Amino acid sequence: MTLLQLINQRVQAALAAAGAPDAPAVIQPASKPEFGDYQANGVMGAAKALKTNPRELAQKVVAALDLQGIADKVEIAGPGFINIHLAPEYLARRSEIALKNAKLGITPVEPQHVMVEYSSPNLAKEMHVGHLRSSIIGDALARVMEFLGHDVVRANHVGDWGTQFGMLTAYLVETSQDGKADIELSDLESFYRNAKVRFDESEEFADRARDYVVRLQGGDEEVLKLWAQFVDISLKHCEAVYQKLNVGLKREHVRGESSYNDDLPVIVEELRAAGLLSESEGAEVVFLEEFRTQDDEPMGVIIRKKDGGFLYTTTDLGAVRYRHKVLNLDRVIYVVDARQSQHFAQMFSICRKAGFAPESMLLEHIGFGVMMGDDGKPFKTRSGGTVKLIELLDEAEERAYALVSEKNPDLPEAEKREIAAAVGIGAVKYADLSKNRMSDYIFNWDTMLAFEGNTAPYLQYAYTRVQSVFRKAENVDANAPIVITEPAEKQLAAALSQFEDTLLSVADGCYPHYLSNYLYQIATLFSRFYEACPILKSEGEVRASRLQLAALTGKTLRTGLDLLGIKVLETM
Ligand code: ARG
C-alpha cells in the first residue's frame, strides 16, 4: 500500500469509530513542515454533516486513530485539522525497502489494458513544433503507466490517408517523376510545396488530386505503390525525430488512418442500424442533442460527405470500434491538442450511442495548450513560418553544447556532445512536462537551459552531485540501515516515500507535471540535506545511513527522469 493509502485507511477507520463512517478523510501532504508530514482535513466536513463541534470530533478521531509504528505525533490544529508527524524509524524502513527493490518498492497495480495514442502527425510533411507536445506528453504517460504495471499499448495514429497524398501523386505524375525510385524526404518536402501551389492555382489539378484520393482509397495498385513510398519516407523521418527526442515510438506502434479504410462503410451501416444516421443536404449525419449550434439546434457530425468521402471523425469511430472489438482495451488515452476537444467529445458520444465502446472502456481526450514564442503568439520562425521539429532539437543541442563547452572546455569532444544531447533535449522536454499540460507556455531557451530553478539541467546536475558522492566514497555498505535523526534527513526521506503516490496521481489524471514537480522537490531537499548533514565527513553508522539516503535519492531522480523520457549523466 502506498503511504497515502495507508494513512487514509487508518484515518478513515478512526472517523468510522468516531461516528462518521461516510466522511472522506481528505489526506494531503502537509503544507508546511511544522504541520507534520500529512494532514487530515476531513473532520470539518464530517462535523458539519453530523452537526457537531469539529474540535470535539477531531479529538474522538485522534483517540481512535491507530498509527502505531507509523506516526510518532498526532495533533489537532485550528478548527479541526489533524496533523500527522511520521515516525523517523518508519520512514527509514520504507526507504530501505525502496532502495533494495528494482521498482523503488512500489506495489504493482491491478493491471489495466491501456492504450496511449500520441504524436500522430499527418504524413507527407516533416514533423514541426506542433507535434512536440503530444509526442513527449504521451510518451511520459506511457512510461509511467507501464512502470506502475499496466499493460500499455502505444499507438501512433498517423494521418496517412488524406488529400495530401492525392496532391503528391498528381504532382509526381504531372512532372513524370512517378517512376523515381529513390525519393528522399527533402524531395517530398519540395514536392509537397509545389503540389500545394498547383492545387491552389489549378481547378483541374485539384480535381485530379481528388481523383487520386478516390483511387487510393479504392485500392488502385499503382497509386498505392506511390503512397507506400511516401509513407515509408515520412515514417523514417518521424523515427529519426523520436530517436533524438528519446520517445519510444517505433514502426510497430504505427496504425494509421489508412488501416481503418475498410471499416468506414461498416461504420455507416452500423450507425444506420442504430437509428443514429440522418440525411442532410446529401450527406449522412449524426445529430447530437447534447451539442447545440448557435441557433440552439442539435449539432450535426458528418459521417459521409455528399461525394461519398469519409471524414476524420469516421476514421476515429473505426479506430474506437477496433480498439474495443480486437484489442479489448480498458482505457484509451488520446494525447491531442486541446483545440480538438469538441471533436473528441462528439466522437466519444457517438461511440457510446452506437455501442462501438462499452461504458467500461474509458475514452479520454488528454488535451494540452499551445507552445508560444517570446512574443506570446504561437511559436513560429522569424519570418512567420512553421518551425521544423528536427531543427528545433538540433538548436537545443547546439545551445547546450555551447554551455557545456563554456563550463567545461577541457572535456573530450565526444563527451561534450553526449552531455549536450542529454541536456539540450532534456531541457526542451522538461520545460514542457513541468507545466500543467492544459496551460499555454512560452518557449524560452534561456529559462529552460538554466542551471538554477525547476529545469532539466538543474535536476540532471543534482543527479551528478549524488553520483559524485559515490565516486569519492570508498567502502559503501549497500545493506547499511538507515537511521534518521536530523530534520533535513527526515524531510528528504518523507518526500522519497511519496514516489509511488506521485506516479499514481500522474497516471490518474494524466498530468506529467506532478512528477516533474516532485523530482524538483527531491532535488531541493537533497541539496538542503547535503548542506546540513555532511555525508563523507561523518563516520560509522551515520555516514553509512546518509550514503543510503543519497543512494535512494539518486535512484529516485534517475527513475523519475527516465519516466519523463529524460536522460541522466554521471558527470556534467
Ligand atoms: N493527425 C491528427 C492531426 O495532426 C491528429 C490525430 C489525433 N488522433 C486521433 N485519433 N484523432 O491533427
Side-chain angles (χ1 to χ4, degrees):
M1 212 183 296
T2 73
L3 191 48
L4 191 65
Q5 287 163 353
L6 179 68
I7 294 172
N8 190 60
Q9 188 196 55
R10 298 294 173 91
V11 176
Q12 209 62 66
L15 273 164
D22 302 322
V26 197
I27 310 297
Q28 284 166 4
S31 52
K32 287 188 192 153
E34 52 269 37
F35 298 157
D37 300 293
Y38 283 89
Q39 43 193 89
N41 300 342
V43 168
M44 279 77 69
K48 201 166 175 198
L50 294 174
K51 299 196 171 63
T52 157
N53 178 308
R55 259 199 98 95
E56 272 166 33
L57 182 61
Q59 265 150 10
K60 283 192 200 153
V61 172
V62 169
L65 184 55
D66 175 14
L67 283 174
Q68 213 190 346
I70 300 170
D72 60 2
K73 192 163 84 177
V74 176
E75 315 164 296
I76 300 168
F81 296 104
I82 299 175
N83 294 340
I84 298 166
H85 299 252
L86 296 175
E89 304 75 30
Y90 178 73
L91 288 171
R93 295 297 85 71
R94 270 197 101 99
S95 301
E96 287 165 3
I97 292 168
L99 193 52
K100 290 214 172 70
N101 179 281
K103 286 195 149 191
L104 287 121
I106 69 161
T107 326
V109 288
E110 177 115 17
Q112 276 188 318
H113 197 197
V114 187
M115 173 178 277
V116 183
E117 192 216 91
Y118 63 108
S119 195
S120 310
N122 290 331
L123 301 184
K125 273 195 288 184
E126 278 190 59
M127 288 178 77
H128 55 81
V129 288
H131 298 119
L132 179 69
R133 300 208 69 188
S134 173
S135 304
I136 64 186
I137 295 171
D139 200 54
L141 294 174
R143 285 172 191 246
V144 169
M145 297 205 194
E146 215 157 46
F147 186 84
L148 284 170
H150 292 299
D151 179 7
V152 175
V153 184
R154 289 171 168 76
N156 195 355
H157 184 87
V158 298
D160 60 356
W161 210 228
T163 327
Q164 70 265 38
F165 293 98
M167 256 164 48
L168 276 172
T169 309
Y171 179 75
L172 255 65
V173 172
E174 188 175 73
T175 54
S176 313
Q177 298 187 79
D178 48 323
K180 201 172 172 198
D182 50 348
I183 298 178
E184 286 175 21
L185 182 69
S186 51
D187 297 333
L188 208 56
E189 282 278 303
S190 67
F191 290 162
Y192 185 84
R193 258 196 315 276
N194 297 342
K196 180 88 173 77
V197 172
R198 292 286 294 131
F199 189 86
D200 293 338
E201 77 187 6
S202 158
E203 206 33 61
E204 198 246 309
F205 180 93
D207 283 340
R208 253 183 291 145
R210 280 190 278 267
D211 184 51
Y212 276 119
V213 179
V214 176
R215 279 170 65 182
L216 172 68
Q217 305 194 339
D220 182 304
E221 296 238 342
E222 247 168 88
V223 185
L224 270 173
K225 222 174 111 191
L226 273 175
W227 168 80
Q229 206 182 350
F230 299 147
V231 168
D232 186 55
I233 299 163
S234 297
L235 286 177
K236 281 204 182 101
H237 158 72
C238 295
E239 281 154 15
V241 172
Y242 297 146
Q243 169 113 36
K244 202 183 243 300
L245 257 184
N246 192 23
V247 156
L249 281 173
K250 303 275 166 353
R251 193 64 73 107
E252 74 248 33
H253 302 122
V254 172
R255 203 181 154 86
E257 295 184 356
S258 63
S259 62
Y260 303 103
N261 187 45
D262 295 344
D263 302 329
L264 304 181
V266 184
I267 292 289
V268 175
E269 286 328 307
E270 294 194 3
L271 289 172
R272 194 189 316 285
L276 293 167
L277 221 50
S278 320
E279 212 209 273
S280 170
E281 297 170 37
E284 311 212 58
V285 181
V286 175
F287 284 99
L288 295 170
E289 287 292 334
E290 67 274 33
F291 292 89
R292 313 300 290 185
T293 63
Q294 278 175 345
D295 307 329
D296 201 28
E297 303 281 341
M299 215 181 249
V301 180
I302 303 181
I303 303 296
R304 180 153 53 191
K305 289 187 290 187
K306 198 175 169 180
D307 67 3
F310 299 100
L311 287 115
Y312 183 55
T313 309
T314 327
T315 304
D316 260 328
L317 293 173
V320 171
R321 192 169 159 279
Y322 170 81
R323 289 164 183 184
H324 168 57
K325 275 197 141 144
V326 180
L327 302 181
N328 196 17
L329 296 160
D330 299 314
R331 183 179 184 193
V332 185
I333 287 161
Y334 294 82
V335 186
V336 185
D337 196 315
R339 286 171 291 192
Q340 293 195 26
S341 67
Q342 174 158 306
H343 159 72
F344 283 105
Q346 295 182 337
M347 195 270 282
F348 294 162
S349 164
I350 297 174
C351 285
R352 301 295 185 207
K353 292 191 171 125
F356 296 149
E359 290 295 334
S360 60
M361 174 164 133
L362 302 177
L363 298 170
E364 293 169 51
H365 172 214
I366 299 306
F368 49 82
V370 184
M371 179 173 136
M372 297 187 297
D374 279 326
D375 55 1
K377 298 201 186 113
F379 195 79
K380 290 265 158 56
T381 60
R382 253 170 224 277
S383 56
T386 39
V387 178
K388 291 180 180 173
L389 189 46
I390 200 84
E391 286 174 3
L392 182 91
L393 301 179
D394 286 340
E395 180 168 354
E397 289 190 11
E398 282 315 314
R399 284 177 181 262
Y401 179 82
L403 278 179
V404 173
S405 309
E406 190 187 295
K407 275 194 198 281
N408 240 329
D410 303 329
L411 279 181
E413 176 67 13
E415 207 171 313
K416 280 191 214 161
R417 287 283 162 200
E418 193 200 333
I419 297 173
V423 171
I425 302 297
V428 169
K429 293 179 86 168
Y430 191 84
D432 193 301
L433 295 171
S434 58
K435 293 172 191 85
N436 184 320
R437 59 177 165 76
M438 287 312 284
S439 43
D440 298 342
Y441 74 92
I442 292 189
F443 185 93
N444 181 286
W445 289 115
D446 296 333
T447 359
M448 72 177 71
L449 282 164
F451 280 79
E452 301 295 318
N454 191 5
T455 65
Y458 175 74
L459 290 179
Q460 288 168 319
Y461 182 66
Y463 178 75
T464 64
R465 275 228 292 192
V466 178
Q467 295 311 92
S468 84
V469 172
F470 288 93
R471 272 194 301 279
K472 285 183 227 145
E474 281 151 29
N475 54 57
V476 176
D477 177 2
N479 290 309
I482 294 178
V483 186
I484 292 169
T485 51
E486 298 302 314
E489 292 175 326
K490 192 185 157 189
Q491 273 167 30
L492 178 60
L496 288 168
S497 298
Q498 292 170 7
F499 185 62
E500 184 174 8
D501 281 314
T502 306
L503 296 187
L504 287 174
S505 69
V506 171
D508 186 33
C510 296
Y511 287 109
H513 75 288
Y514 292 155
L515 177 56
S516 312
N517 291 342
Y518 171 77
L519 296 175
Y520 179 57
Q521 186 197 358
I522 295 291
T524 311
L525 290 174
F526 177 76
S527 168
R528 268 187 227 152
F529 156 78
Y530 190 82
E531 274 153 35
C533 309
I535 303 176
L536 296 177
K537 289 209 179 86
S538 55
E539 282 170 16
E541 270 184 18
V542 174
R543 177 183 183 275
S545 163
R546 288 181 182 168
L547 278 169
Q548 293 286 70
L549 273 180
L552 183 57
T553 303
K555 193 170 164 183
T556 306
L557 286 175
R558 186 178 60 232
T559 309
L561 285 169
D562 182 59
L563 293 176
L564 294 175
I566 294 173
K567 291 187 178 155
V568 292
L569 300 152
E570 293 305 304
T571 51
M572 270 167 78

